[in-house]
Amino acid sequence: MNKIKDIQIRDPFIVPYENKYYLYGSTDSDIWKGSGSGFDAYVSDDLINWEGPCKVFSPPENYWGTRNFWAPEVHFYNGAFYMFASFIGDGFNRGTAVLKACEPKNPFGKFIPHSEKAITPSEHMCLDGSLYVDKKGEPWLVYCHEWVQITDGTINAVRLSRDLKTAVGEPVLLFKSSSAPWSRTVHSKSNNITGYVTDGCFMHRTKSGRLLMLWSCFTDNGYCECYAVSDNDEIDGKWEQGGVLFDENGGHGMVFTDFNGRLILTLHTPNNSPDERAVFLEIEETERGLKVRHCF
């Protein structure tokens, strides 16, 4: 049994399912270098004590993605669990691919490739793709176009086929990182590039019907969790920046409702390997967006 403080994990993602919480994330001990080994997951009754790790994805032989196994999200869609995760490989730009559980209703998978390659544009460096299903039931991928390629990182959306295997239509630009007044440039020594980051997009529909997007960038205090608001409460609206939820060198968060009815934000902090850990913050919905109540 593990306590959350003992689990090294980035980009935490929680699925509440059948009275248990399933925790996924970037779990390679060094996600920046070397070959990717896959993704581990954990399970808990109370968000405090965790069983695991359980290997939920191992790359098959000759899989196109070979390293930087990042940010797995798991969604239940049309009767099965799907994983959206980012990879990079020799001859391929970084992108988000779709995996599917062999046992469709088992949150532990095992997950196997579902899309042939990445479903993000092949000519772009992309990451952190997140599933969003609109009011008409159409699936979309919301993802980040990396700042290391375009300097001012963006968040885009592209409609997906109903089977989640391919993108259909052209990507739509939602906003740039620099549109947030708190966003600050960072410098990559390895790429010798300075620019504005977009990371970790996640869609949240409030009880009142507002459509919000959680995302991460850098502020004067370091890595942060913030959110934007659609003016028409749909993916094609004008996106206005709402505010910062957490700016203590942590981010890449998502929101879920626990079995007590509380709205919970989870993210990783600090943003330094190998010290990153998942934390849980109770939040509340406001007329404008979201507000943190307390950390537990």
Side-chain angles (χ1 to χ4, degrees):
M1 196 70 72
N2 305 279
K3 300 294 186 183
I4 201 69
K5 65 181 179 60
D6 299 320
I7 301 173
Q8 180 189 355
I9 193 167
R10 297 179 66 87
D11 321 320
F13 194 91
I14 295 285
V15 173
Y17 183 69
E18 295 187 341
N19 296 316
K20 293 186 180 295
Y21 301 101
Y22 293 84
L23 169 65
Y24 311 85
S26 304
T27 51
D28 280 340
S29 58
D30 186 350
I31 65 168
W32 312 109
K33 300 177 182 178
S35 298
S37 66
F39 296 116
D40 294 334
Y42 298 81
V43 63
S44 172
D45 296 320
D46 56 12
L47 299 176
I48 298 171
N49 302 294
W50 295 88
E51 295 180 16
C54 174
K55 184 67 70 177
V56 294
F57 172 70
S58 298
E61 187 176 0
N62 299 321
Y63 187 61
W64 72 272
T66 55
R67 59 192 187 278
N68 295 169
F69 286 18
W70 292 353
E73 291 195 359
V74 173
H75 297 267
F76 194 72
Y77 172 84
N78 278 0
F81 282 105
Y82 292 85
M83 178 180 284
F84 293 73
S86 297
F87 308 90
I88 196 169
D90 294 337
F92 297 96
N93 283 323
R94 189 180 347 272
T96 294
V98 184
L99 316 172
K100 185 178 182 180
C102 287
E103 299 177 44
K105 295 186 178 181
N106 184 352
F108 275 157
K110 298 281 184 77
F111 289 90
I112 59 173
H114 181 66
S115 60
E116 182 179 354
K117 297 284 192 310
I119 55 174
T120 44
S122 60
E123 67 274 19
H124 295 168
M125 288 286 280
C126 305
L127 77 168
D128 299 346
S130 185
L131 177 66
Y132 169 67
V133 180
D134 66 21
K135 293 179 180 178
K136 298 178 181 178
E138 296 291 338
W140 293 74
L141 186 76
V142 184
Y143 66 92
C144 302
H145 188 176
E146 281 201 87
W147 69 284
V148 295
Q149 185 180 50
I150 57 174
T151 306
D152 192 354
T154 64
I155 295 183
N156 295 8
V158 65
R159 196 160 61 85
L160 300 179
S161 58
R162 287 292 183 104
D163 62 7
L164 305 183
K165 288 191 173 184
T166 60
V168 294
E170 294 298 317
V172 178
L173 171 65
L174 303 186
F175 61 83
K176 297 180 179 181
S177 178
S178 62
S179 68
W182 52 81
S183 183
R184 300 291 182 265
T185 59
V186 295
H187 182 74
S188 169
K189 292 182 179 179
S190 59
N191 296 297
N192 194 28
I193 295 172
T194 299
Y196 294 90
V197 171
T198 47
D199 258 358
C201 43
F202 176 81
M203 311 298 287
H204 174 67
R205 176 81 64 184
T206 69
K207 291 180 180 179
S208 65
R210 302 304 313 266
L211 183 63
L212 311 181
M213 182 197 304
L214 279 71
W215 66 288
S216 288
C217 62
F218 282 80
T219 69
D220 291 332
N221 294 329
Y223 197 47
C224 85
E225 184 71 22
C226 51
Y227 72 95
V229 185
S230 169
D231 71 341
N232 71 351
D233 299 321
E234 250 316 336
I235 195 75
D236 62 355
K238 178 182 178 182
W239 287 88
E240 302 170 349
Q241 298 305 321
V244 176
L245 295 170
F246 187 94
D247 67 347
E248 301 173 26
N249 197 29
H252 198 121
M254 60 84 63
V255 169
F256 66 97
T257 301
D258 75 3
F259 297 123
N260 296 312
R262 298 179 300 178
L263 194 61
I264 307 296
L265 165 66
T266 184
L267 51 83
H268 75 253
T269 186
N271 196 40
N272 315 74
S273 294
D275 301 322
E276 56 271 79
R277 299 293 187 270
V279 297
F280 300 103
L281 302 95
E282 185 177 355
I283 61 175
E284 62 181 351
E285 295 175 351
T286 66
E287 182 178 350
R288 172 61 177 165
L290 297 172
K291 182 175 70 174
V292 174
R293 296 186 66 182
H294 65 88
C295 181
F296 66 94

